[in-house]
Amino acid sequence: GENVEQHPSTLSVQEGDSAVIKCTYSDSASNYFPWYKQELGKGPQLIIDIRSNVGEKKDQRIAVTLNKTAKHFSLHITETQPEDSAVYFCAATSYNFNKFYFGSGTKLNVKP
Amino acid sequence: GAVVSQHPSWVICKSGTSVKIECRSLDFQATTMFWYRQFPKQSLMLMATSNEGSKATYEQGVEKDKFLINHASLTLSTLTVTSAHPEDSSFYICSAWDRGGTDTQYFGPGTRLTVL
């Protein structure tokens, strides 16, 4: 099956700085890569996703890049704000898997 | 994005009792729903895949007789924790796959189960 690794496990940045979280996956058949934000005591919320037919996708301050050759994808948050503080999970899947494989999570702390 | 609800949001029960958790997709039909368990400061652990109209597929190590899953309609899946014990205390989260729309997975808000 698929194996998704996520780094770093914790990340502290100053408000206004950028944050980057990286994930690698093992199965070349994976073709869909979502990112979720989870606040304490709540369910994960989809914030951005990318499919294998594109290399980059951006939504305001959030962007995701995908390198299929190297089997890694990254989440980029620019101009970070304290409300960005949360745990972020990456995931990988393919239409053949019928389930999502999650990374171990990154706790982002944005200091005001 | 699409909305998935869970009920209850939290429940406290006595050891030996059974607890049912509902997961609903509110604005789309979901032939596939998933149940996860999450321990503090850890990632989501997939327990089972719930398919409408058929038996759930359980992950290795998950007791199907203890965690009963029913996906009777395209908008509702239920997880029943039978004969709950303190070690079953956890945060249970469901998700629904919007295959017919955005083709992605949306999560419910989670249910905090505490077994005394």
Side-chain angles (χ1 to χ4, degrees):
Chain A
E2 174 65 278
N3 180 43
V4 178
E5 295 190 355
Q6 183 173 344
H7 299 281
S9 57
T10 60
L11 178 60
S12 286
V13 299
Q14 206 66 37
E15 181 178 0
D17 289 349
S18 295
V20 180
I21 303 171
K22 298 181 179 181
C23 287
T24 61
Y25 61 99
S26 61
D27 197 318
S28 57
S30 289
N31 55 16
Y32 175 63
F33 309 92
W35 284 90
Y36 293 89
K37 175 184 180 182
Q38 186 178 28
E39 297 177 341
L40 191 62
K42 298 183 179 179
Q45 178 186 9
L46 178 70
I47 56 171
I48 196 167
D49 57 9
I50 191 168
R51 300 185 190 271
S52 60
N53 56 343
V54 297
E56 183 174 0
K57 183 177 179 180
K58 189 174 182 180
D59 182 6
Q60 299 182 346
R61 297 187 296 111
I62 297 174
V64 56
T65 58
L66 171 65
N67 184 327
K68 285 216 71 179
T69 303
K71 296 198 193 76
H72 67 70
F73 56 111
S74 301
L75 176 70
H76 304 255
I77 305 175
T78 59
E79 301 174 26
T80 54
Q81 301 167 4
E83 50 266 38
D84 294 329
S85 297
V87 178
Y88 292 81
F89 291 99
C90 64
T93 190
S94 84
Y95 294 107
N96 297 326
F97 291 162
N98 197 39
K99 62 183 178 182
F100 286 49
Y101 294 85
F102 285 88
S104 53
T106 297
K107 183 175 182 179
L108 174 64
N109 179 33
V110 180
K111 295 175 285 187
Chain B
V3 179
V4 175
S5 70
Q6 265 182 259
H7 178 80
S9 56
W10 59 270
V11 57
I12 300 173
C13 69
K14 293 182 179 180
S15 185
T17 61
S18 294
V19 175
K20 179 186 283 188
I21 303 170
E22 293 186 349
C23 177
R24 295 182 185 272
S25 55
L26 298 185
D27 50 4
F28 66 96
Q29 293 183 329
T31 56
T32 304
M33 291 184 172
F34 303 90
W35 287 96
Y36 296 84
R37 184 173 180 176
Q38 188 176 36
F39 292 103
K41 299 183 180 181
Q42 293 190 22
S43 188
L44 298 95
M45 184 191 79
L46 179 64
M47 298 174 66
T49 301
S50 171
N51 297 298
E52 188 269 337
S54 64
K55 292 183 179 180
T57 303
Y58 290 82
E59 294 299 299
Q60 191 172 9
V62 178
E63 299 176 60
K64 61 180 180 180
D65 294 331
K66 180 167 188 61
F67 299 100
L68 301 179
I69 292 172
N70 186 12
H71 193 157
S73 79
L74 289 172
T75 58
L76 173 64
S77 176
T78 60
L79 168 69
T80 301
V81 183
T82 63
S83 186
H85 289 94
E87 56 265 31
D88 298 324
S89 299
S90 191
F91 193 50
Y92 292 88
I93 310 173
C94 74
S95 70
W97 197 334
D98 184 14
R99 287 186 182 273
T102 58
D103 200 18
T104 192
Q105 188 177 174
Y106 297 95
F107 284 88
T111 296
R112 172 72 59 191
L113 170 64
T114 301
V115 184
L116 301 177

